[in-house]
Amino acid sequence: MERIGFVGVGLMGHGMAANILAAGHPLTVIAHSNRTPVEDLVAKGAEEAADLAALARASDIVHICAPGSPQVEAIVDGLIDHLPEGAIVVDCSTSNPVSTEALAARLAERGFAMADAPLGGTPVQAEAGELTAMVGATEAVFARIEPVLQTWAKTIRRVGEPGAGHKMKLLNNFVSLGYAAIYAEALALAEKSGLGIQTFHSVIGGSRMDCGFYQTFMGYAAEGDREAHKFTLTNALKDMTYLAAFAEGTGVANPVGASARDSFDAAVKAGGDGPEDYVPHLVDFVARANGIDR
């Protein structure tokens, strides 16, 4: 069994790491600010590393689940001098593809490999082992990591070489976060026009325009569950900023993406920058900006 290292056992990473461990892989984890998930994994049989160097030495494949590219780059800096021969770094974050391609080249120069396997899904799906993985990797690396990915992902798609997974993830998030911006604005219109959110939901819910993302968004907007979709507004803004850079580098005009990014930017600047300010809460910030009391 491949020895797995896991950096970033937070909202998504804890469930992923738990499923890797349950499948029988030796697992090494490292603590950051919240020790609770690390202690839970250690109680289940994982080892805790004192630092990134120790984690690297104990791992054949290292998973990284971090907020974004700057953090991933710093983690790779801490790993690279201590990885065993043939090691693979799997970045499950939503990262900047330009950074990912540069890291892949840097690791290759040292005889290591990199794959990007960003996630689709929620923390609940992570715990259940039912995430989606969009993978950028060479065919040989993919063949080696796929059995590990299968421990935490229900759907796995290899979409190309290193960097391709992060490109696909940004497109995925463009669609989902674009929906969020549209939903929040549509609900403000519904409220201010006198229709109301419940009327809107009674028509859209269950129609052709319904989807899983709509359900979790409306889990808060219509039903008041603040934790219906635990993905922060700051992460949404970060991803839409990466999308803008991706579009610019590709030479594609992205006016809809820019508008959606502006919606998240306004919410974050208006106070939605906390660790429990989630994407469905965008509805509150758009409502307040339009003089609607929620």
Side-chain angles (χ1 to χ4, degrees), residues 4 9 187 202 224 241 254 275:
I4 309 301
V9 289
L187 291 172
S202 72
T241 301
N254 187 224

Side-chain angles (χ1 to χ4, degrees), residues 52-265:
L52 288 172
L55 183 140
R57 289 191 291 268
S59 307
D60 304 308
I61 298 172
V62 178
H63 282 54
I64 300 173
C65 212
S69 289
Q71 294 82 6
V72 174
E73 291 165 7
I75 290 164
V76 172
D77 284 344
L79 296 171
I80 196 166
D81 290 331
H82 308 280
L83 291 166
E85 182 179 354
I88 301 172
V89 174
V90 182
D91 181 12
C92 299
S93 321
T94 300
S95 299
N96 186 334
V98 174
S99 171
T100 304
E101 290 170 349
L103 285 176
R106 182 183 171 199
L107 285 161
E109 288 174 359
R110 299 286 295 272
F112 310 125
M114 183 168 186
D116 43 314
L119 317 170
T122 66
V124 171
Q125 290 172 303
E127 296 289 341
E130 296 179 348
L131 294 172
T132 296
M134 296 152 259
V135 186
T138 65
E139 290 185 1
V141 168
F142 180 70
R144 185 171 157 198
I145 66 172
E146 187 178 19
V148 182
L149 304 185
Q150 287 172 339
T151 67
W152 52 260
K154 182 178 180 180
T155 303
I156 302 168
R157 296 282 185 269
R158 177 178 177 263
V159 295
E161 299 293 305
H166 284 142
K167 292 174 183 176
M168 187 64 236
K169 174 61 172 175
L170 290 179
L171 293 176
N172 178 88
N173 283 18
F174 173 31
V175 173
S176 63
L177 297 174
Y179 274 146
I182 290 171
Y183 295 156
E185 194 168 318
L187 291 172
L189 278 165
E191 283 285 276
K192 202 150 191 179
S193 68
L195 284 172
I197 287 177
Q198 296 303 329
T199 298
F200 177 92
H201 190 33
S202 72
V203 174
I204 302 299
S207 76
R208 290 179 61 199
M209 291 172 285
D210 197 347
C211 63
F213 184 86
Y214 174 85
Q215 290 297 325
T216 54
F217 192 93
M218 296 303 288
Y220 171 66
E223 298 163 18
D225 180 1
R226 288 191 62 84
E227 298 189 346
H229 191 135
K230 295 170 72 172
F231 185 77
T232 65
L233 290 166
T234 52
N235 271 335
L237 176 58
K238 179 263 296 182
D239 291 355
M240 295 305 291
T241 301
Y242 284 169
L243 175 78
F246 174 33
E248 182 177 3
T250 309
V252 173
N254 187 224
V256 175
S259 294
R261 184 195 175 281
D262 287 347
S263 186
F264 289 105
D265 186 48

